[in-house]
Amino acid sequence: MSLISRVFGLFSTATSDSTAPPAGDLQTSIWTHSTSMGGIDDSNHSVRYGDLALLEDEEPRPPYLHAMLAGGTGGTCGDMLMHSLDTVKTRQQGDPTFPPKYTSMGQSYSTIYRQEGFCRGLYGGVTPALLGSFPGTVIFFGVYEYTKRLMIDSGINPSIAYLSGGFFADLAASVVYVPSEVLKTRLQLQGRYNNPHFNSGYNYRNMRDGFRQIVRMEGFSALFHGYKATIFRDLPFSALQFAFYEKEQSMAKQWVGKRDIGLGLEILTAATAGGMAGVITCPMDVVKTRIQTQQNPLEPPSGSSGAKHCVEHVPKESPRPHAPASSHPHPSRPHSRPISTSGANTSIPPPGTPRLDTSSVFTGLKMIYRTEGIAGWFRGVGPRGVWTSIQSGTMLVMYQYLLKQLEAHQVLEECL
């Protein structure tokens, strides 16, 4: 058995039926092998031995369970590591005051830490983030691997397979992580309970109190506020992230001349893929944050005693029956931010605060552009770019590392 066949044997239960051609042969060699899960067979890939791409197009296929556990662990570690920067991004994007209180990334970070502390300030909303991150990424990597392998085996171009895999994987995981994203985003925007430094319009004691308040006052469907906006942000983000990552990995392997590209290139490919995808999808992230941190403007039913009505800043004027019709052709719209809970934070944002009274992503994009211009679309792009770079780098590097450890452990068990 050739050395290459032995290498493939580490990742499959069955060895290849063919042997490697001579190194000088420029003909195409077709390889197929099955996964250790006994699932989908690998696609037939062409390997030209005249290039430095020996078997670079032929990637090992780990068991689905390994991919899901490694991906879930790596994704959760990345989310927890960068949660504080995500809080800064959320404050910049969802700040209801105009002009905004939080401007640059460094200024926002230091202000939140100084005024509200680490746990309830920078790491506000970390509990729902943790509860949604692990199951969400487990589902994501399982669906991604299945979709990618199925499409490649059907003869579809690998780049399209990577894009589609990320797209469908995020769609499947969204059912789990969107409710946790709503709770996380509101708690991040709120900061500490009875926050005297920042009026977000929310005042939840903790995650459990926030969940009860949302369900009681806005209905269970409020946990899926911004679902369409989240989908419009995360589906293209995941598709672009994994398309960039797989392509950069392939280029790095061809440049190095072997499959093991080293830790430096692993981090570089993962971080740049996440960073580019994060910057490109920043406008969708702004719309998502605005929608998820704004309640339904409809008033609660009149019979509910515990609910607070939305506070609107409407100047009272005595009726003037003989006033000319043209004196107020467009009555000024009340600038308000509905309050979801009872509490101390009931002040009204100053006039000029941009507000989205819509759940439509494209309408929201147009409204933000009209009020804030292109800068409004890329509000918080600095922390988002840094966050997605480091989060993606952490997740994908840990994913590759844990896969190797799990595979080594499996081979050791088979040898015993």
Side-chain angles (χ1 to χ4, degrees):
M1 183 183 296
S2 67
L3 177 61
I4 296 176
S5 299
R6 293 179 183 275
V7 172
F8 275 121
L10 297 177
F11 303 102
S12 61
T13 55
T15 59
S16 175
D17 295 333
S18 58
T19 58
D25 190 3
L26 295 179
Q27 299 297 322
T28 302
S29 176
I30 307 299
W31 295 81
T32 57
H33 65 281
S34 60
T35 67
S36 58
M37 293 291 287
I40 305 171
D41 290 335
D42 277 353
S43 60
N44 296 333
H45 290 286
S46 298
V47 180
R48 293 197 328 166
Y49 282 81
D51 298 331
L52 289 176
L54 293 174
L55 296 176
E56 302 306 348
D57 292 334
E58 182 70 21
E59 289 295 333
R61 294 188 174 183
Y64 286 114
L65 181 61
H66 287 188
M68 294 167 72
L69 289 176
T73 304
T76 303
C77 290
D79 288 341
M80 296 301 100
L81 176 65
M82 299 310 299
H83 185 83
S84 61
L85 197 57
D86 186 49
T87 299
V88 170
K89 180 217 65 166
T90 301
R91 289 286 181 94
Q92 289 186 354
Q93 292 179 345
D95 188 351
T97 60
F98 193 82
K101 175 181 178 180
Y102 302 101
T103 54
S104 68
M105 183 169 61
Q107 176 268 342
S108 302
Y109 206 102
S110 61
T111 300
I112 296 172
Y113 176 76
R114 184 178 66 254
Q115 294 181 345
E116 304 172 46
F118 187 78
C119 295
R120 295 304 302 272
L122 291 172
Y123 266 76
V126 69
T127 304
L130 177 62
L131 294 178
S133 179
F134 184 77
T137 46
V138 164
I139 295 172
F140 179 92
F141 276 92
V143 176
Y144 174 74
E145 285 293 329
Y146 176 82
T147 305
K148 178 183 72 173
R149 298 176 191 184
L150 181 65
M151 296 185 73
I152 291 177
D153 292 344
S154 301
I156 297 175
N157 183 280
S159 296
I160 298 177
Y162 303 146
L163 278 166
S164 303
F167 184 92
F168 288 111
D170 212 286
L171 184 63
S174 63
V175 179
V176 173
Y177 72 73
V178 168
S180 67
E181 181 83 1
V182 171
L183 280 168
K184 173 190 78 82
T185 304
R186 293 190 179 188
L187 288 170
Q188 282 178 315
L189 188 64
Q190 167 194 310
R192 53 185 285 192
Y193 181 62
N194 287 336
N195 193 345
H197 304 287
F198 180 65
N199 174 33
S200 65
Y202 302 99
N203 200 28
Y204 305 131
R205 295 178 182 274
N206 47 42
M207 184 192 72
R208 183 180 301 177
D209 178 57
F211 178 83
R212 287 199 305 261
Q213 293 277 6
I214 292 173
V215 172
R216 185 176 75 247
M217 302 179 66
E218 303 174 57
F220 185 79
S221 62
L223 291 172
F224 289 87
H225 274 173
Y227 183 82
K228 289 190 295 183
T230 305
I231 291 298
F232 272 92
R233 179 200 68 172
D234 288 348
L235 295 190
F237 171 79
S238 297
L240 290 171
Q241 177 189 26
F242 278 86
F244 289 152
Y245 177 67
E246 299 276 11
K247 185 63 177 177
E248 290 181 32
Q249 283 272 306
S250 176
M251 293 170 62
K253 290 172 183 176
Q254 290 184 20
W255 184 62
V256 173
K258 57 183 179 179
R259 177 170 293 150
D260 186 3
I261 62 176
L263 180 61
L265 282 177
E266 287 283 0
I267 296 174
L268 181 64
T269 54
T272 54
M276 289 189 296
V279 171
I280 293 172
T281 56
C282 186
M284 300 299 184
D285 188 48
V286 174
V287 174
K288 189 274 307 181
T289 301
R290 299 280 182 90
I291 293 176
Q292 285 187 335
T293 55
Q294 294 173 168
Q295 284 82 23
N296 192 326
L298 296 178
E299 292 186 351
S302 57
S304 60
S305 59
K308 295 285 184 183
H309 290 272
C310 300
V311 182
E312 295 187 351
H313 183 58
V314 184
K316 294 183 178 180
E317 296 183 4
S318 58
R320 294 188 295 173
H322 300 292
S326 60
S327 60
H328 294 285
H330 300 287
S332 60
R333 186 175 187 173
H335 295 281
S336 65
R337 187 178 187 85
I339 307 303
S340 66
T341 70
S342 58
N345 294 335
T346 56
S347 62
I348 305 302
T353 301
R355 174 177 170 78
L356 304 186
D357 290 323
T358 179
S359 60
S360 170
V361 175
F362 296 107
T363 303
L365 286 171
K366 288 190 292 185
M367 293 173 66
I368 292 174
Y369 179 76
R370 284 200 302 264
T371 56
E372 303 172 65
I374 293 292
W377 283 357
F378 289 91
R379 204 171 177 185
V381 67
R384 175 165 172 79
V386 175
W387 180 83
T388 52
S389 295
I390 301 178
Q391 191 273 345
S392 180
T394 303
M395 177 183 71
L396 294 174
V397 170
M398 286 196 65
Y399 172 71
Q400 295 291 348
Y401 172 78
L402 292 173
L403 276 183
K404 293 176 183 177
Q405 296 301 313
L406 290 170
E407 288 162 1
H409 181 72
Q410 182 183 17
V411 171
L412 183 61
E413 283 188 343
E414 291 175 354
C415 293
L416 296 178

